[in-house]
Amino acid sequence: MSGNIELLEDTLARTREEGRAALIAYLPAGFPTVDGSIEAIKAVLDAGADIVEVGLPHSDPVLDGPVIQTADDIALRGGLKIADVLRTVREAHQATGKPVLVMTYWNPVDRYGVDRFAQELADAGGAGCILPDLPVQEADPWREHAAKHGLATVFVVAPSSRDARLAEITAAGSGFVYAASLMGVTGTRDSVGEQARALVERTRAAGPLPVCVGIGVSDAAQAAEVAEFADGVIVGSAFVKRLLDAPDAAAGLDAVRALTAELAGGVRRRTG
């Protein structure tokens, strides 16, 4: 089975044709349990998310804020394995037909085996990988195997990225570019700010890939603000916090469904 980069590209093209940004949800595999994470991911996709990022929990998550670190710790203490992450991708994709990516740090992929991981992710129906700590100049081994298996390679850019670096990343990446709207770790913010808009404009000028913005979006108003200038709005910590705060699994699913519906309305609403 080949990967689903075409499904990812088609989804982003379709949302653009609809005159809106894509809603991209992030949830870590294995939280609160493997089965619970699969149900939560299916819930957000069914409730209106266009794309989902499945987090591969890591013991040293340098980009992730305290909310996601807490969820990752729960997943790792529960004994999560890469096989469970791949099962999560497979079941979420098969149940919804929507693009599912894995967001992971490089070390687990390298230790698992680059070609093995790419092959198994493609076999699970995965659309690709977001690799926040893999420098583009060191990415050729991954990119080679990803291309062979039909997977997108999504790089992360930040406000500190220079124009030459943005050009290098947009040339090497595929699927979309993940624009981290603020310096620092993930987490909800009171405002997303003008840094994000400027970064999207610079990244678009550097190459043709869609640009999706993450880090800081937590409600419909912020989603609408980012949707004005980005191809996709990425939301992670707000979903994880809903699950962390829920008194039980059923309430958690209701909470993420409600947030998804709110955010889906936001990406369809123009603020300007």
Side-chain angles (χ1 to χ4, degrees):
M1 182 189 296
S2 65
N4 276 305
I5 186 173
E6 294 87 358
L7 177 61
L8 175 64
E9 293 169 340
D10 289 348
T11 298
L12 289 166
R14 174 179 54 79
T15 57
R16 188 181 309 116
E17 288 167 4
E18 292 174 2
R20 67 176 180 90
L23 175 59
I24 305 173
Y26 166 94
L27 283 165
F31 168 74
T33 63
V34 174
D35 288 342
S37 69
I38 292 169
E39 290 307 308
I41 290 164
K42 290 194 295 188
V44 299
L45 286 169
D46 287 338
D50 300 291
I51 299 163
V52 75
E53 302 171 7
V54 175
L56 195 163
H58 186 47
S59 56
D60 186 24
V62 293
L63 186 71
D64 296 316
V67 170
I68 291 175
Q69 285 187 27
T70 298
D72 281 1
D73 185 56
I74 291 168
L76 292 169
R77 284 191 282 110
L80 183 80
K81 306 295 185 190
I82 286 183
D84 299 315
V85 178
L86 295 167
R87 176 188 153 212
T88 301
V89 171
R90 177 179 291 106
E91 294 196 19
H93 174 63
Q94 287 180 344
T96 65
K98 292 185 176 180
V100 181
L101 299 107
V102 168
M103 187 165 188
T104 178
Y105 296 96
W106 177 243
N107 181 260
V109 176
D110 192 37
R111 290 177 60 188
Y112 193 74
V114 177
D115 189 58
R116 177 188 178 195
F117 185 84
Q119 174 73 66
E120 293 182 11
L121 179 57
D123 287 346
C129 264
I130 302 165
L131 297 154
D133 66 337
L134 180 64
V136 64
Q137 65 269 21
E138 298 174 17
D140 284 353
W142 166 258
R143 289 176 57 221
E144 175 188 344
H145 293 295
K148 179 170 74 172
H149 296 298
L151 299 170
T153 298
V154 178
F155 290 109
V156 178
V157 299
S160 59
S161 300
R162 296 172 182 253
D163 289 347
R165 177 81 161 178
L166 294 178
E168 192 177 6
I169 284 171
T170 55
S174 53
F176 63 91
V177 177
Y178 185 126
S181 64
L182 299 160
M183 300 297 289
V185 299
T186 59
T188 60
R189 303 293 199 280
D190 291 334
S191 64
V192 179
E194 287 303 305
Q195 270 192 321
R197 186 186 297 269
L199 179 58
V200 169
E201 290 173 356
R202 291 173 55 226
T203 307
R204 282 211 181 110
L209 288 177
V211 185
C212 302
V213 170
I215 303 185
V217 176
S218 61
D219 59 32
Q222 291 174 340
E225 178 189 351
V226 174
E228 285 292 319
F229 56 83
D231 298 291
V233 179
I234 303 168
V235 182
S237 295
F239 281 116
V240 176
K241 190 171 189 307
R242 294 287 178 104
L243 291 175
L244 281 169
D245 290 347
D248 55 52
L253 293 178
D254 287 342
V256 295
R257 286 190 193 99
L259 178 59
T260 305
E262 176 189 340
L263 294 166
V267 300
R268 289 165 171 79
R269 189 178 80 225
R270 293 297 191 188
T271 61

